[in-house]
Amino acid sequence: MDKMAAFLKRDLREMLSYKLAFIGEIAGIIFPLLTFFFVSRLIEGQSIEQLVPYGGSYFPFVLVGIAFSSYLMISLYSFASIISTAQTSGTLEALLSTQTDLPAILLSASVFPFIRGAVNVLLYLAAGVIFFKVKFVNPNIAGTLIITLLTVLCFAGMGIISASFTLVFKKGDPVMWLFSSLSGLLGGVVYPVSIMPVWLQNVSRWIPLTHSLEGIRKSLLAGSPVSGISDEIRILAFLSALLLPLGFLLFSLAVRKAKKDGTLTQF
């Protein structure tokens, strides 16, 4: 816990030293919401069959999609970013030569991005409620937290696999590009998966974000109980149990290879 606190303190100091970037991040929350709010006005009052399971309104649907997908993507990007930053700053070899084991280093360094991302989710939802009059009727907070936690673990596994490629190949990570591209296109972030052709819907079922946003929207927008999202929970739990250990295994092998090749600090 002391080591985790040290990483958190370091990252907090770094963020506070760049105040303009923080202000820009807040603006980056409001402007996309304004864009989709105006888009939602085009279909206001229309009954769209694909939106009925999520309350029937488009803007709350896309609000949840943008807020949580941006948070979940932190799991994918943060680990590779941690590695590349440590390589370019020359601190990676020093970190790996300490008595702190590898999982502790990765998890400790990722605490601040996850906390910051969680705050951003709250800001997204608060902006939706305050400025755009979004109403969450009987939201299932427990179900939302369960789905979010399982998805974070699942994405973390993919993120650590991505970091393994970064450590060995430095640039051109195919895992991050493919996974993030497919998630954005087929994960149902800004439109329901059900509007896509059947064959693309079948492909989307292999993407964790699809099940994550489905479960979160059912919980927040439709008030589904935990039993109503049991399928999503089982799928995400299985993927988490598979991808997280695989990620740590591949990263350990990547560190061993980089040390053997003498490329640990190269970028």
Side-chain angles (χ1 to χ4, degrees), residues 7 10 79-98 100 102 105-106 109 163-164 166-168 170 251 254-256 258-259 263-267:
F7 276 98
R10 179 203 66 180
F79 296 103
S81 177
I82 289 165
I83 296 302
S84 62
T85 300
Q87 284 178 320
T88 54
S89 63
T91 60
L92 180 60
E93 190 171 19
L95 283 172
L96 294 178
S97 64
T98 65
T100 306
L102 190 59
I105 291 174
L106 286 176
S164 305
T166 300
L167 192 61
V168 174
K170 316 307 176 187
F251 192 79
V255 171
R256 190 179 307 170
K259 286 181 176 180
T263 62
L264 192 59
T265 58
Q266 295 179 6
F267 185 74

Side-chain angles (χ1 to χ4, degrees), residues 65-157:
I66 294 174
F68 282 91
S69 64
S70 63
Y71 175 64
L72 296 171
M73 284 298 178
I74 292 174
S75 306
L76 183 62
Y77 288 105
S78 62
F79 296 103
S81 177
I82 289 165
I83 296 302
S84 62
T85 300
Q87 284 178 320
T88 54
S89 63
T91 60
L92 180 60
E93 190 171 19
L95 283 172
L96 294 178
S97 64
T98 65
Q99 295 181 350
T100 306
D101 58 15
L102 190 59
I105 291 174
L106 286 176
L107 295 177
S108 297
S110 65
V111 168
F112 182 78
F114 280 110
I115 292 177
R116 188 173 181 176
V119 171
N120 284 348
V121 170
L122 294 177
L123 290 175
Y124 269 113
L125 299 181
V129 172
I130 296 171
F131 299 112
F132 302 103
K133 309 304 180 185
V134 173
K135 296 181 180 180
F136 297 100
V137 181
N138 298 321
N140 177 7
I141 303 300
T144 301
L145 292 176
I146 292 171
I147 291 289
T148 302
L149 175 60
L150 289 173
T151 312
V152 164
L153 293 176
C154 180
F155 272 53

Side-chain angles (χ1 to χ4, degrees), residues 20-31:
L20 187 59
F22 179 72
I23 295 173
E25 188 171 336
I26 300 299
I29 290 175
I30 298 298
F31 290 147

Side-chain angles (χ1 to χ4, degrees), residues 1-257:
M1 294 301 294
D2 291 339
K3 295 173 183 178
M4 189 175 293
F7 276 98
L8 183 60
K9 185 177 180 181
R10 179 203 66 180
D11 293 336
L12 181 60
R13 283 181 174 177
E14 182 179 345
M15 185 196 74
L16 293 176
S17 65
Y18 296 97
K19 297 180 177 61
L20 187 59
F22 179 72
I23 295 173
E25 188 171 336
I26 300 299
I29 290 175
I30 298 298
F31 290 147
L33 292 185
L34 279 171
T35 300
F36 284 104
F37 177 74
F38 292 134
V39 170
S40 70
R41 297 286 296 273
L42 290 172
I43 57 176
E44 188 175 358
Q46 299 182 32
S47 178
I48 301 176
E49 180 183 353
Q50 291 85 353
L51 294 175
V52 171
Y54 317 106
S57 298
Y58 177 68
F59 186 71
F61 174 92
V62 77
L63 169 66
V64 171
I66 294 174
F68 282 91
S69 64
S70 63
Y71 175 64
L72 296 171
M73 284 298 178
I74 292 174
S75 306
L76 183 62
Y77 288 105
S78 62
F79 296 103
S81 177
I82 289 165
I83 296 302
S84 62
T85 300
Q87 284 178 320
T88 54
S89 63
T91 60
L92 180 60
E93 190 171 19
L95 283 172
L96 294 178
S97 64
T98 65
Q99 295 181 350
T100 306
D101 58 15
L102 190 59
I105 291 174
L106 286 176
L107 295 177
S108 297
S110 65
V111 168
F112 182 78
F114 280 110
I115 292 177
R116 188 173 181 176
V119 171
N120 284 348
V121 170
L122 294 177
L123 290 175
Y124 269 113
L125 299 181
V129 172
I130 296 171
F131 299 112
F132 302 103
K133 309 304 180 185
V134 173
K135 296 181 180 180
F136 297 100
V137 181
N138 298 321
N140 177 7
I141 303 300
T144 301
L145 292 176
I146 292 171
I147 291 289
T148 302
L149 175 60
L150 289 173
T151 312
V152 164
L153 293 176
C154 180
F155 272 53
M158 291 299 302
I160 296 172
I161 293 172
S162 174
S164 305
F165 277 87
T166 300
L167 192 61
V168 174
F169 300 105
K170 316 307 176 187
K171 291 186 178 181
D173 173 18
V175 174
M176 181 181 295
W177 176 82
L178 181 62
F179 192 71
S180 61
S181 298
L182 289 177
S183 295
L185 178 63
L186 305 178
V189 178
V190 297
Y191 45 79
V193 171
S194 56
I195 71 170
M196 298 188 298
V198 174
W199 70 273
L200 277 180
Q201 293 183 39
N202 292 332
V203 174
S204 75
R205 294 191 181 98
W206 293 90
I207 299 173
L209 186 62
T210 301
H211 305 286
S212 174
L213 293 181
E214 180 74 9
I216 290 173
R217 284 181 174 126
K218 285 180 178 178
S219 298
L220 279 183
L221 301 179
S224 295
V226 173
S227 59
I229 55 173
S230 57
D231 289 343
E232 287 79 13
I233 290 175
R234 281 195 295 267
I235 292 170
L236 292 171
F238 170 76
L239 291 174
S240 300
L242 175 67
L243 292 174
L244 199 57
L246 179 61
F248 282 122
L249 172 62
L250 291 179
F251 192 79
S252 298
L253 294 175
V255 171
R256 190 179 307 170
K257 176 175 174 54

